[in-house]
mmCIF file of all heavy atoms in Angstrom:
data_model
loop_
_atom_site.group_PDB
_atom_site.id
_atom_site.type_symbol
_atom_site.label_atom_id
_atom_site.label_comp_id
_atom_site.label_asym_id
_atom_site.label_seq_id
_atom_site.Cartn_x
_atom_site.Cartn_y
_atom_site.Cartn_z
ATOM 1 N N SER A 1282 3.931 17.945 3.405
ATOM 2 C CA SER A 1282 4.037 18.980 4.428
ATOM 3 C C SER A 1282 4.983 20.060 3.910
ATOM 4 O O SER A 1282 5.643 19.875 2.885
ATOM 5 C CB SER A 1282 4.550 18.406 5.746
ATOM 6 O OG SER A 1282 5.856 17.874 5.582
ATOM 7 N N GLY A 1284 4.154 23.363 3.215
ATOM 8 C CA GLY A 1284 3.552 24.511 2.561
ATOM 9 C C GLY A 1284 3.373 25.670 3.527
ATOM 10 O O GLY A 1284 3.591 25.541 4.730
ATOM 11 N N SER A 1292 11.599 31.315 -0.393
ATOM 12 C CA SER A 1292 11.816 29.905 -0.702
ATOM 13 C C SER A 1292 11.003 29.023 0.238
ATOM 14 O O SER A 1292 10.668 29.439 1.358
ATOM 15 C CB SER A 1292 13.296 29.546 -0.560
ATOM 16 O OG SER A 1292 14.096 30.271 -1.452
ATOM 17 N N GLY A 1317 -9.076 27.278 -10.159
ATOM 18 C CA GLY A 1317 -9.621 27.466 -11.487
ATOM 19 C C GLY A 1317 -8.778 26.916 -12.614
ATOM 20 O O GLY A 1317 -9.117 27.096 -13.788
ATOM 21 N N ALA A 1324 7.519 18.439 -11.458
ATOM 22 C CA ALA A 1324 8.820 17.777 -11.342
ATOM 23 C C ALA A 1324 8.638 16.305 -11.045
ATOM 24 O O ALA A 1324 7.713 15.935 -10.324
ATOM 25 C CB ALA A 1324 9.654 18.425 -10.240
ATOM 26 N N ARG A 1342 14.216 26.998 -10.933
ATOM 27 C CA ARG A 1342 13.731 27.456 -9.626
ATOM 28 C C ARG A 1342 13.318 26.299 -8.721
ATOM 29 O O ARG A 1342 13.361 26.424 -7.506
ATOM 30 C CB ARG A 1342 12.542 28.398 -9.787
ATOM 31 C CG ARG A 1342 12.847 29.682 -10.522
ATOM 32 C CD ARG A 1342 11.698 30.670 -10.373
ATOM 33 N NE ARG A 1342 10.453 30.146 -10.919
ATOM 34 C CZ ARG A 1342 9.347 29.957 -10.202
ATOM 35 N NH1 ARG A 1342 9.330 30.242 -8.910
ATOM 36 N NH2 ARG A 1342 8.251 29.488 -10.794
ATOM 37 N N THR A 1382 6.908 11.728 -18.045
ATOM 38 C CA THR A 1382 6.078 12.596 -18.883
ATOM 39 C C THR A 1382 5.283 13.619 -18.069
ATOM 40 O O THR A 1382 4.707 14.542 -18.635
ATOM 41 C CB THR A 1382 5.088 11.762 -19.705
ATOM 42 O OG1 THR A 1382 4.175 11.125 -18.806
ATOM 43 C CG2 THR A 1382 5.806 10.710 -20.535
ATOM 44 N N GLN A 1393 -2.621 14.179 -0.031
ATOM 45 C CA GLN A 1393 -3.738 15.108 0.154
ATOM 46 C C GLN A 1393 -3.393 16.527 -0.235
ATOM 47 O O GLN A 1393 -4.289 17.359 -0.394
ATOM 48 C CB GLN A 1393 -4.197 15.057 1.612
ATOM 49 C CG GLN A 1393 -4.798 13.730 2.023
ATOM 50 C CD GLN A 1393 -6.010 13.373 1.186
ATOM 51 O OE1 GLN A 1393 -6.954 14.153 1.077
ATOM 52 N NE2 GLN A 1393 -5.998 12.200 0.550
#
Side-chain angles (χ1 to χ4, degrees):
S1282 62
S1292 298
R1342 297 192 300 119
T1382 65
Q1393 294 301 306

